[in-house]
Amino acid sequence: MSRRALTLMVAGFLTLAFAVVGAILPVPYVVLSPGPTENTIGEVKGKPVISIEGRQTYPTSGQLSLVTVAYQGGPGSRIDLFSALRGWLDPTVAVVPEETIFPPTTTAEEVEQQNVQEMTNSQDDATAAALTELKIPFTSVVAVASTQKGLPADGKFKPGDEIVAVDGAAAADRETISAAVRKHKPGQTVTFTVNRGDRKMTVAVPTTAAKDGTPIVGITMRISYKFPFKVRINVGDVGGPSAGMMFSLGIVDKLTPGDLTGGKSIAGTGTITPDGKVGPIGGIQQKMVGARKDGATVFLTPAENCAEAVKAIPDGLKLIKIDTLHEAVQAIDVVRTGSGTAPSCPAG
């Protein structure tokens, strides 16, 4: 066999070996790509994304679209080397180390549970923010989200239990409850008064010591709101907190006479707090691409994401900088009427 033939054979073998290894070798990266969009004032699978019962609503038009990021990889489903390489060559895709998105010990089931919980919390916070913007009063209570397995509270509380008092003192907020528990020494009993459905009951729980010696009982708490009417949000498989601002805008639009968008296609992203503060999100580049593909010409951008967003603006998409829900409502009014100037993300 000639040297040339041998060289070609070895090269071919190495190429084939590389292809096989690349196809099966899992790598610790996650591929982020533009995901689907959903119009918060429209429908998904024939059902309204936002439905409101017990309060007058008004017709809407146009689009107030939430945007998402699709990902490949992560706990339990690592991508292969070729998928990572394809992602690195695609300007609309990001390939990032797995640990930047998922903690090293997280399982696929835990990721799913976290996304669902974050989406539920986001929907509640979005409703609270919308009602705050519209000056519609509501109340809130501290509720049990979950208990930590193996700790004293495990089995004594149920998710949704409303904590009314601790040791006879009113439970004003999560900080008050945590402080009341910390007043005890490990082994001492804390007495909780809770509402479980229509029942008021007392739950006595001994404390134990955390790793740093702090007294704990093992309760994870959340704020539960009592709204004067029902707001339901249906988004299918979408998870996480980043759609909060767009949910709030959809609720505001439905509860407000007149047409918020003027028939225009507006997309955006951002977490939301009950008082209307808009927070940053991940995957801004992919979300902008998804918004533009869906026909949006305006993109409401969390102020803290502006510096990253201006580096990769798709053609035909205008970025508007948003710090609060109130600013978002005002910006959409500018877009609808064509009068005034909405704050844009400054160029880097």
Side-chain angles (χ1 to χ4, degrees):
M1 182 181 294
S2 68
R3 176 176 293 183
R4 182 173 181 276
L6 180 61
T7 300
L8 290 174
M9 183 178 71
V10 171
F13 174 77
L14 291 175
T15 301
L16 178 61
F18 178 74
V20 172
V21 171
I24 64 175
L25 179 65
V27 291
Y29 288 91
V30 175
V31 176
L32 306 178
S33 58
T37 64
E38 295 290 356
N39 180 15
T40 61
I41 52 177
E43 295 184 345
V44 56
K45 296 181 179 178
K47 295 182 179 180
V49 172
I50 298 172
S51 58
I52 299 172
E53 297 177 14
R55 183 89 175 191
Q56 182 177 358
T57 58
Y58 300 89
T60 61
S61 68
Q63 294 190 85
L64 288 170
S65 297
L66 64 87
V67 287
T68 65
V69 173
Y71 71 85
Q72 294 175 278
S77 59
R78 280 187 169 176
I79 60 172
D80 58 58
L81 181 59
F82 280 173
S83 295
L85 291 173
R86 284 196 300 268
W88 275 313
L89 296 174
D90 187 338
T92 69
V93 166
V95 181
V96 299
E98 184 178 297
E99 65 269 17
T100 63
I101 299 178
F102 306 108
T105 59
T106 303
T107 66
E109 292 75 16
E110 289 171 336
V111 170
E112 179 65 23
Q113 290 173 0
Q114 181 178 348
N115 283 338
V116 170
Q117 185 61 56
E118 287 180 342
M119 174 56 76
T120 299
N121 294 343
S122 174
Q123 293 172 5
D124 290 343
D125 289 347
T127 303
L131 269 59
T132 299
E133 171 68 17
L134 297 173
K135 297 179 171 56
I136 299 173
F138 60 92
T139 59
S140 62
V141 296
V142 180
V144 175
S146 63
T147 56
Q148 297 176 47
K149 192 171 182 179
L151 293 184
D154 187 21
K156 294 192 174 185
F157 292 91
K158 292 185 176 181
D161 283 352
E162 298 174 359
I163 303 176
V164 178
V166 182
D167 294 329
D173 50 41
R174 285 177 288 191
E175 290 72 24
T176 301
I177 296 169
S178 296
V181 172
R182 289 194 297 269
K183 289 180 180 179
H184 295 73
K185 294 180 180 179
Q188 292 182 331
T189 297
V190 185
T191 302
F192 294 87
T193 304
V194 303
N195 288 331
R196 181 175 295 171
D198 296 329
R199 297 170 54 204
K200 177 172 284 190
M201 54 193 300
T202 299
V203 181
V205 186
T207 63
T208 188
K211 290 181 179 179
D212 61 359
T214 303
I216 60 172
V217 295
I219 295 174
T220 301
M221 297 176 286
R222 65 179 177 86
I223 298 298
S224 178
Y225 301 102
K226 294 184 178 294
F227 301 120
F229 46 87
K230 291 183 178 180
V231 178
R232 291 190 176 90
I233 299 178
N234 165 45
V235 286
D237 296 329
V238 176
S242 64
M245 178 182 67
M246 299 311 295
F247 288 145
S248 290
L249 288 170
I251 294 168
V252 168
D253 196 5
K254 284 177 172 281
L255 291 175
T256 306
D259 188 351
L260 184 62
T261 69
K264 297 183 182 297
S265 179
I266 298 170
T269 188
T271 62
I272 197 78
T273 63
D275 60 357
K277 174 67 176 176
V278 174
I281 51 78
I284 189 71
Q285 179 180 351
Q286 289 71 44
K287 290 179 178 180
M288 291 189 299
V289 171
R292 189 68 189 103
K293 284 183 177 179
D294 193 50
T297 55
V298 173
F299 192 81
L300 305 177
T301 312
E304 293 181 52
N305 285 120
C306 272
E308 179 185 2
V310 295
K311 298 176 183 177
I313 307 173
D315 291 338
L317 193 67
K318 177 181 180 180
L319 303 187
I320 297 180
K321 182 179 72 172
I322 302 297
D323 264 310
T324 66
L325 176 61
H326 186 67
E327 288 182 1
V329 173
Q330 290 181 317
I332 293 174
D333 186 62
V334 169
V335 172
R336 183 187 72 251
T337 62
S339 61
T341 303
S344 60
C345 285

